[in-house]
């Protein structure tokens, strides 16, 4: 066979139908295995966000507790303790309960009673002083990154907006901060 015929034949050869079908099947199997992993990335990112936020919240709670201990651990708590700043406008102060945990943050005259966390406004005020830069945002309705709820005396829940199974619980009676997210697989 002349060289010219061999070259032209080699240039016109392509994949056979069976080779194409095998490649398509392999790509299909890979897609079926990979797609669920990519679909769950959003949930994993939201879970990580809640856990990181809970960690930052717990760090703030621990800082307040350390300030309470440094001030002699008064059993009646402290109104307007200058934990985050000692600005004359008291913007960096927090009200600490008698157990040493953040209970509220109001710029008001000191009260005669021990500061206590006993409504959703208290929950939001603690969140806002611990995250004084304004992020992540919190509200008691909708439209913020987290929704605050008052559970019972001294306890709050901060739910990630649009994800009722992802939340942070705070107990001002013990200082406990717990992030709850669905089990990851």
């Amino acid at each position: 066979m002349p060289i010219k015929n061999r070259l032209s034949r080699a240039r016109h050869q392509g994949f056979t139908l069976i080779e194409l079908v095998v490649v398509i099947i392999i790509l299909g199997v890979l897609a079926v295995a990979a797609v669920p992993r990519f679909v769950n990335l959003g949930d994993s990112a939201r879970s990580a966000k809640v856990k990181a936020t809970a960690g930052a919240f717990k760090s703030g709670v621990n800082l307040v507790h350390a300030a309470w201990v440094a001030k002699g651990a008064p059993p009646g708590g402290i109104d307007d303790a200058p934990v985050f700043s000692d600005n004359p406008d008291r913007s960096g102060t927090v009200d600490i309960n008698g157990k040493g945990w953040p209970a509220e943050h109001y710029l008001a005259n000191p009260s005669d009673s021990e500061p206590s966390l006993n409504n959703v406004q208290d929950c939001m005020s603690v969140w806002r002083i611990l995250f004084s830069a304004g992020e992540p945002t919190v509200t008691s309705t909708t439209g913020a990154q987290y929704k605050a709820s008052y559970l019972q005396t001294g306890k709050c829940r901060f739910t990630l907006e649009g994800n009722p199974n992802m939340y942070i619980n705070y107990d001002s009676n013990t200082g406990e901060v717990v992030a709850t997210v669905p089990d990851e697989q």
Side-chain angles (χ1 to χ4, degrees), residues 27 73 78 80 83 85 94-95 100 105 112 125 136-137 168 172 176:
L27 289 174
I78 305 171
D80 296 330
V83 175
S85 77
V94 63
D95 298 339
H105 169 67
D112 293 334
S125 71
T137 56
I168 301 164
S172 70
E176 184 178 42

Side-chain angles (χ1 to χ4, degrees), residues 12-31:
H12 293 296
Q13 287 183 340
F15 294 108
T16 65
L17 182 59
I18 193 79
E19 290 170 329
L20 291 174
V21 168
V22 169
V23 169
I24 290 170
I25 289 172
I26 291 171
L27 289 174
V29 169
L30 289 174

